[in-house]
């Protein structure tokens, strides 16, 4: 109506296009237009139909059983999002402030997760970097320290009661002793070695470059001579490290105390020293060991060696050693001593396997030759001369410390000791008379055994290692080795099952647990801000409902359902939550830059870096959306309940 004839035709042509797949109802006072374009004309007067050019007769459709379903008006989620987005665009400032307020809690949680992830990643990297230093280790006897601790705290002690009279027994000491014994597990390494000797065993899919190393308990003595050619012995030292006064041996220690400063270093497949050792230690003087007679002197990070070890090596005179000890006992500062590398390179160490300390008597038994015996000097003449061939120090990036003693020998020396024991007279005699103790000439009784004697003589079987170290090149491979051991245990008798020690996991699992506990506690505190955000979103959505009441009436009058109206406000909270999540993650990523700089300043460059994994980032965005959605549930429900007529009247 109220259009000129030209415009009227244009509008009608447009409506004609729309009418191809839509029902168009036109109300007009221009009968000419109706006659030209309408497919059905209904004339009304005073609210009543007076004529109908194409009246509807449903008898034919009913006869054919046809039923026409009335389409309900509905709104798509895209439309709801579009309406909400357009509304938020008109209030950009409030939307951004609301989103930022909602992101504060997300920022807090994201920073905590970033720090936690950084620490856990550092622990994981530490595990990987120490694979070669701390392999999966299987000992002859393993100890369950957890049971030991629990046993000392949970059982045995009688509760104290004020009403008790008389004397009660306290079982706590016996309980602790029992728990200690129960915590010891003996491993059948002979049986396990057969499994490892099979090259087709699945465990070899995970074994690293350093392979599997078998350790054997070999027994030997080591001595040096002073400048006058006299033997330097650990017998001359008391338990506190001081020198024994002449003739006073009441505090004497075991013979050859220098043995306690020696350990075997890792060997390579084709070399006496593993590449792991040569790569981790700097050769300061001399050469790397290549023969069983070669010994390495190992310095600490300060280029120092234990003073007692230097005395036993003959680098310190008795007078100097006594002077140092007396100064320290008097509370004075001992003088600083330094040595040139060449002072110790080539130093001779007299090496004597335990089996060489036994001599046969006229009665056919054997006796031990000690340092105080007259025959000891003749026994020592059969000692093998070892030499310090090189001096090494751990490199700056070697934080594991593969060598744990000042003197390190190769596995070639271990093989030499085993071979010497096999050929010794005392071992042969004992093996020929397994029921008789060759030291006493009497049958073995209580407290004595064949195994104890052979161990004392230095007899070692390659089939019965004292320890097995399985080296891996990655943390994942270590997990594979653990699974193989579990599978092995499932296929053998209970007595032959293996209990192993994973020192890396033992050290780091507790750290990871502590980090996770702290993370959870901090997140719980920060989660309070999420509750505040949820309430804030509810209030803001309620205000939006009040502001858009007339819009709600229009939507309902156009056919939008209550659910559609709820969707509009749900979409609005989703958009706000999504923006808040993105802001939270983005701001966190920016904050990690100064945080990492601060961590580098405090802890050292590259030690721990705050890193927010993408999985956490996506989860936090989802959490933000969920929080805002929950906050808007009540206002959205309130909006859906508004009556269309009342909503339209709202100004």
């Amino acid at each position: 109506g109220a259009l000129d004839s030209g415009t009227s035709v244009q509008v009608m042509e447009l409506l004609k296009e729309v009418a191809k797949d839509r029902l168009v109802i036109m109300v007009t006072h221009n009968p000419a237009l109706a006659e030209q374009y309408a497919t059905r004309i209904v004339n009304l007067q005073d609210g009543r139909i007076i004529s109908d050019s194409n009246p509807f007769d449903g008898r034919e459709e009913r006869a054919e059983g046809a039923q026409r379903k009335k389409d309900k008006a509905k709104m798509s989620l895209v439309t709801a999002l579009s309406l909400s987005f357009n509304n938020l665009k008109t209030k950009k400032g409030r939307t951004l402030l609301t989103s930022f307020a909602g992101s504060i809690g997300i920022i807090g949680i994201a920073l905590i997760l970033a720090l936690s992830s950084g620490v856990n990643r550092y622990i994981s990297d530490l595990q990987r970097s120490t694979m070669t230093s701390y392999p999966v280790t299987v000992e002859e006897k393993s100890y369950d320290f957890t049971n030991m601790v629990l046993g000392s705290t949970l059982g045995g002690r009688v509760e104290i009661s004020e009403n008790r009279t008389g004397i009660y027994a306290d079982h706590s000491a016996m309980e602790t002793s029992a728990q200690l014994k129960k915590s010891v597990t003996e491993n059948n390494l002979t049986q396990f070695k057969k499994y490892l000797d099979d090259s087709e065993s699945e465990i070899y899919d995970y074994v690293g470059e350093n392979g599997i190393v078998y350790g054997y308990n070999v027994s030997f003595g080591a001595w040096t001579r002073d400048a006058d050619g006299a033997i330097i012995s650990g017998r001359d030292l008391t338990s506190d490290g001081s020198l024994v006064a002449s003739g006073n041996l009441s505090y004497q220690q075991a013979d050859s105390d220098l043995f306690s400063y020696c350990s075997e270093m890792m060997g390579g497949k084709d070399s006496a020293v593993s590449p792991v050792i040569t790569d981790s230690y700097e050769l300061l003087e001399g050469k790397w060991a290549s023969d069983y007679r070669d010994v390495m002197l190992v310095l600490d990070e300060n280029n120092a060696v234990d003073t007692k070890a230097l005395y036993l090596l003959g680098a310190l005179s008795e007078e100097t050693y006594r002077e140092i000890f007396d100064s320290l006992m008097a509370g004075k500062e001992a003088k600083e001593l330094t040595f040139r590398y060449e002072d110790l390179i080539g130093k001779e160490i007299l090496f004597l396997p335990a089996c060489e300390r036994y001599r046969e008597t006229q009665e056919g038994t054997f006796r031990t030759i000690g340092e105080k015996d007259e025959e000891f000097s003749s026994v020592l003449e059969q000692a093998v001369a070892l030499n310090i061939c090189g001096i090494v120090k751990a490199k700056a990036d070697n934080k594991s410390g593969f060598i744990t003693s000042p003197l390190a020998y190769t596995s070639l020396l271990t093989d030499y000791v085993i071979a010497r024991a096999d050929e010794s007279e005392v071992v042969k005699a004992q093996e020929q008379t397994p029921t008789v103790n060759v030291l006493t000439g009497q049958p073995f009784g209580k407290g004595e055994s064949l195994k104890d004697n052979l161990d004392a003589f230095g007899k070692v079987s390659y089939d019965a290692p004292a320890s097995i170290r399985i080296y891996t090149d990655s943390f994942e491979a270590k997990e594979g080795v653990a699974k193989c051991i579990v599978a092995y245990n499932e296929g053998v008798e209970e007595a032959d099952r293996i209990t192993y020690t994973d020192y890396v996991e033992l050290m780091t699992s507790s750290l990871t647990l502590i980090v996770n506990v702290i993370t959870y506690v901090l997140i719980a505190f920060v989660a309070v801000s999420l509750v505040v955000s949820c309430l804030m979103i509810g209030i803001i959505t309620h205000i939006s409902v009040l502001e858009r009441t007339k819009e709600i009436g229009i939507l309902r009058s156009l056919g939008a359902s209550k659910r559609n109206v709820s969707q509009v406000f749900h979409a609005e909270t989703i958009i706000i939550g999504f923006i808040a999540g993105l802001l939270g993650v983005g701001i966190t990523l920016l904050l990690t830059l100064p945080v990492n700089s601060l961590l580098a300043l405090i802890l050292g460059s590259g030690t721990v870096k705050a890193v927010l994994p993408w999985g956490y980032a996506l989860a936090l965005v989802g959490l933000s959306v969920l929080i805002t959605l929950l906050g808007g549930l009540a206002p959205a429900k309130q909006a859906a309940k508004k009556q269309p007529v009342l909503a339209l009247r709202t100004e």
Side-chain angles (χ1 to χ4, degrees), residues 12-31:
M12 294 308 297
E13 290 295 329
L14 291 173
L15 291 177
K16 184 178 180 181
E17 289 295 320
V18 174
K20 290 181 178 179
D21 56 357
R22 295 286 190 279
L23 172 64
V24 176
I25 300 176
M26 178 178 67
V27 180
T28 181
H29 295 283
N30 189 338

Side-chain angles (χ1 to χ4, degrees), residues 37-81:
Y37 290 98
T39 57
R40 181 183 178 186
I41 299 174
V42 179
N43 289 311
L44 297 117
Q45 183 177 353
D46 297 329
R48 294 183 179 182
I49 298 174
I50 57 176
S51 67
D52 188 346
S53 65
N54 188 14
F56 172 73
D57 185 359
R59 287 178 295 178
E60 182 178 349
E61 286 79 359
R62 286 194 296 272
E64 296 176 357
Q67 294 182 354
R68 302 186 65 179
K69 184 178 180 182
K70 181 180 180 182
D71 292 334
K72 293 183 178 180
K74 59 182 179 179
M75 181 189 298
S76 67
L77 180 61
V78 175
T79 303
L81 287 171

Side-chain angles (χ1 to χ4, degrees), residues 374-393:
E374 295 181 359
E375 301 98 322
F376 183 72
S377 58
S378 62
V379 171
L380 204 58
E381 291 178 358
Q382 302 178 15
V384 176
L386 306 180
N387 294 280
I388 296 178
C389 66
I391 301 175
V392 297
K393 174 185 177 181

Side-chain angles (χ1 to χ4, degrees), residues 302-492:
N302 296 317
N303 275 43
V305 178
D306 186 273
T307 305
K308 183 180 175 182
L310 289 173
Y311 167 72
L312 293 173
L313 279 171
L316 289 178
S317 66
E318 179 179 332
E319 180 182 358
T320 303
Y321 185 86
R322 194 182 297 276
E323 180 183 344
I324 293 172
F325 186 84
D326 291 343
S327 297
L328 294 174
M329 288 297 293
K332 299 178 182 179
E333 185 176 350
K335 65 178 181 180
E336 187 175 86
L337 297 176
T338 58
F339 304 88
R340 299 175 302 170
Y341 294 144
E342 50 265 32
D343 293 336
L344 289 169
I345 285 289
K347 184 66 179 179
E348 186 179 85
I349 300 173
L350 299 177
F351 169 83
L352 194 67
C355 60
E356 302 296 337
R357 302 280 297 277
Y358 295 87
R359 289 292 182 267
E360 188 173 7
T361 66
Q362 294 180 352
E363 292 79 14
T365 59
F366 287 80
R367 69 185 183 90
T368 308
I369 306 299
E371 290 185 28
K372 61 182 179 179
D373 296 326
E374 295 181 359
E375 301 98 322
F376 183 72
S377 58
S378 62
V379 171
L380 204 58
E381 291 178 358
Q382 302 178 15
V384 176
L386 306 180
N387 294 280
I388 296 178
C389 66
I391 301 175
V392 297
K393 174 185 177 181
K395 293 180 179 178
D397 58 350
N398 175 19
K399 299 179 181 178
S400 302
F402 303 101
I403 306 175
T404 58
S405 63
L407 295 173
Y409 57 87
T410 69
S411 60
L412 300 176
L413 185 62
T414 301
D415 296 336
Y416 175 82
V417 175
I418 294 174
R420 284 282 291 269
D422 289 340
E423 298 299 323
S424 66
E425 295 297 326
V426 67
V427 170
K428 289 181 179 179
Q430 186 63 81
E431 289 180 335
Q432 289 172 1
T433 57
T435 60
V436 178
N437 187 339
V438 297
L439 298 178
T440 63
Q442 301 295 323
F444 286 107
K446 293 183 178 179
E448 298 175 350
S449 69
L450 173 64
K451 183 180 184 303
D452 290 338
N453 270 17
L454 291 177
D455 289 344
F457 302 154
K459 171 67 177 179
V460 172
S461 172
Y462 282 111
D463 294 331
S467 65
I468 300 175
R469 290 171 290 176
I470 305 173
Y471 290 90
T472 58
D473 294 335
S474 67
F475 185 74
E476 291 75 15
K478 181 184 71 69
E479 295 296 326
V481 168
K483 292 179 181 178
C484 289
I485 295 178
V486 171
Y488 169 84
N489 287 338
E490 293 175 351
V492 298

Side-chain angles (χ1 to χ4, degrees), residues 102-113 518-533 620 623:
S103 70
I104 293 175
I106 300 298
I107 294 171
I109 294 178
L111 281 175
I112 293 171
L113 291 176
I518 294 174
T519 301
Y520 299 148
V521 171
L522 292 176
I523 288 177
F525 279 112
V526 177
V528 175
S529 64
L530 295 180
V531 176
V532 176
S533 298
L620 288 172
L623 177 63

